Amino acid sequence: MVELPKRLQIKLSERATNNALRQLPIANHLIDFSSNDYLGFARDEAVFKMASEILRNEGIRTNGATGSRLLTGNSELYGQLEALLAKFYDTEAALVFNSGYDANIGFFSSVPQRGDVVLYDELCHASIRDGIGMSNAQHYKFKHNDVEDLYRSIERVKSKNTDSIIYVVTESVFSMDGDAPDLEALAILCKANGCYLVVDEAHAVGVYGEKGEGLLHQLVQQDKVFARIITFGKAMGCHGAAILGSEALKSYLVNFARSFIYTTGLPPHSLATILAVHQRLENNGQVGTPFGGIQTLKNNIQFFNARLIALGLEQYFIPSNSAIHCCLVPGNKQVKYWSGQLREKGFDVKPIMSPTVPKGQERLRFCIHSYNSENQINSLLLHLEMLVHLSEK
Ligand SMILES: Cc1ncc(COP(=O)(O)O)c(C=O)c1O
């Protein structure tokens, strides 16, 4: 094999020295407090059967998409799925992408133009930041969930460039913190200042809303929002993503989003699975075997928070009502050690290390699921309490 260039070898060994080397984990059978499968749909037999039925009913027997959606890859299921998504999420149009990463780089690299300004929350996901980095627009961070700081940034931009279009970008649930911005305040601020609000709902769909339509849908009228990014690899338990907005935005993305144009479409089975999950959510478990359900997930989240308070652990956690809960454990070495200790007790809880999060803000990230039992949650937090006590001695 040709050796890795020296410079790259040095970068890798620096990662190892900093305890920050990323390595692919081996699949395990521990109690799941780490996957994004919040509702258990990835393992839901009813969804699996429904997806197969959709393919059978449509007479689809192909394994792959065979090409880009603009060439041969636009299977008939895409039309059905995008119509269903538009209805389910209460929007004019939906455009399916191969992943949330693709959706974000496609949107942010093509929509904001030279002379425009993108104001984004400093903790936005890498896919948003990578997309913004590919655009010709100017871009500035605002302080995490700080509406006043955003307001000051808008004022600054407006005082300098009067004809810039301003895009404001946030997530409704932050992936590495689990917290949420004041979406109503953001929507009002954007409307009052003529800014275009874009919200990534990757970790909110399936978790919030009566049927899992997301947090933005629950709180904000859709006429205040320019675009929503939803993903199907988390609570939906499948793969792929969609951008929700107007028909004109959809047409623009079909023409200019390079991560949409220059890639093979999703295989029919993926589309059928996304359709099946939404049918399942629409019927709230009345079709086939009932799934754990959004309510069970909410109960588990409430139980988790109640136990944090009862055990005096609340102070170590970032406040969250979502399925993601983070306990700050500064230092890559320490957070890895704690994760290892929980693993030895049978719990899969991932350490989030720098550089994924800033140095000193390393954390254990707990993902709650509808299929976690109260006993499991309780036992997990008792072990965590022990680790906290030992570290304070
Ligand atoms: C907020 C957010 N947006 C987008 C993505 C990317 O989604 P996908 O995994 O479908 O590429 C993620 C994934 O972790 C995310 O957390």
Side-chain angles (χ1 to χ4, degrees), residues 379-391:
S379 163
L380 167 74
L381 292 180
L382 286 172
H383 287 298
L384 180 69
E385 186 199 24
M386 187 96 78
L387 288 170
V388 170
H389 280 317
L390 288 174
S391 75

Side-chain angles (χ1 to χ4, degrees), residues 99-102 104 125 127 171 173 175 200 202-203 231 233-234 240-241:
S99 72
Y101 190 88
D102 280 355
N104 276 330
H125 190 258
S127 55
E171 293 173 24
V173 171
S175 59
D200 182 329
H203 293 277
T231 66
K234 304 185 194 301

Side-chain angles (χ1 to χ4, degrees), residues 64-264:
T66 77
S68 146
R69 286 191 63 187
L70 282 161
L71 300 173
T72 57
N74 201 36
S75 132
E76 52 267 54
L77 288 181
Y78 267 117
Q80 265 189 52
L81 176 59
E82 286 175 346
L84 178 144
L85 294 175
K87 189 157 174 271
F88 187 92
Y89 293 100
D90 192 14
T91 185
E92 203 175 289
L95 182 68
V96 171
F97 283 71
N98 287 0
S99 72
Y101 190 88
D102 280 355
N104 276 330
I105 59 166
F107 182 93
F108 290 106
S109 63
S110 68
V111 173
Q113 302 290 299
R114 192 180 300 283
D116 294 343
V117 177
V118 183
L119 301 175
Y120 63 102
D121 188 291
E122 63 184 342
L123 296 192
C124 274
H125 190 258
S127 55
I128 296 174
R129 288 184 280 119
D130 289 358
I132 293 172
M134 291 160 84
S135 111
N136 289 319
Q138 286 180 307
H139 43 93
Y140 305 101
K141 295 179 209 172
F142 59 89
K143 286 192 191 136
H144 181 51
N145 286 343
D146 190 334
V147 182
E148 281 181 20
D149 192 48
L150 170 63
Y151 176 66
R152 284 191 293 274
S153 300
I154 293 174
E155 290 285 287
R156 240 187 333 266
V157 173
K158 283 179 130 187
S159 69
K160 282 192 212 145
N161 341 31
T162 44
D163 56 353
S164 293
I165 292 175
I166 303 175
Y167 294 92
V168 170
V169 189
T170 191
E171 293 173 24
S172 51
V173 171
F174 279 85
S175 59
M176 288 299 146
D177 295 65
D179 58 354
D182 183 343
L183 288 168
E184 283 162 296
L186 282 177
I188 291 168
L189 182 65
C190 286
K191 184 144 195 193
N193 287 279
C195 302
Y196 289 71
L197 179 61
V198 183
V199 182
D200 182 329
E201 290 243 80
H203 293 277
V205 290
V207 178
Y208 292 99
E210 223 171 284
K211 293 182 293 189
E213 307 93 324
L215 189 55
L216 191 71
H217 181 273
Q218 187 176 302
L219 297 176
V220 176
Q221 280 177 334
Q222 297 317 303
D223 63 356
K224 295 203 183 84
V225 184
F226 178 54
R228 267 179 286 169
I229 291 96
I230 58 170
T231 66
F232 307 128
K234 304 185 194 301
M236 303 305 168
C238 351
H239 188 76
I243 295 183
L244 311 176
S246 66
E247 284 289 357
L249 174 64
K250 177 172 176 174
S251 174
Y252 180 84
L253 292 167
V254 167
N255 280 278
F256 293 101
R258 294 170 70 85
S259 63
F260 176 86
I261 300 166
Y262 297 107
T263 189
T264 301

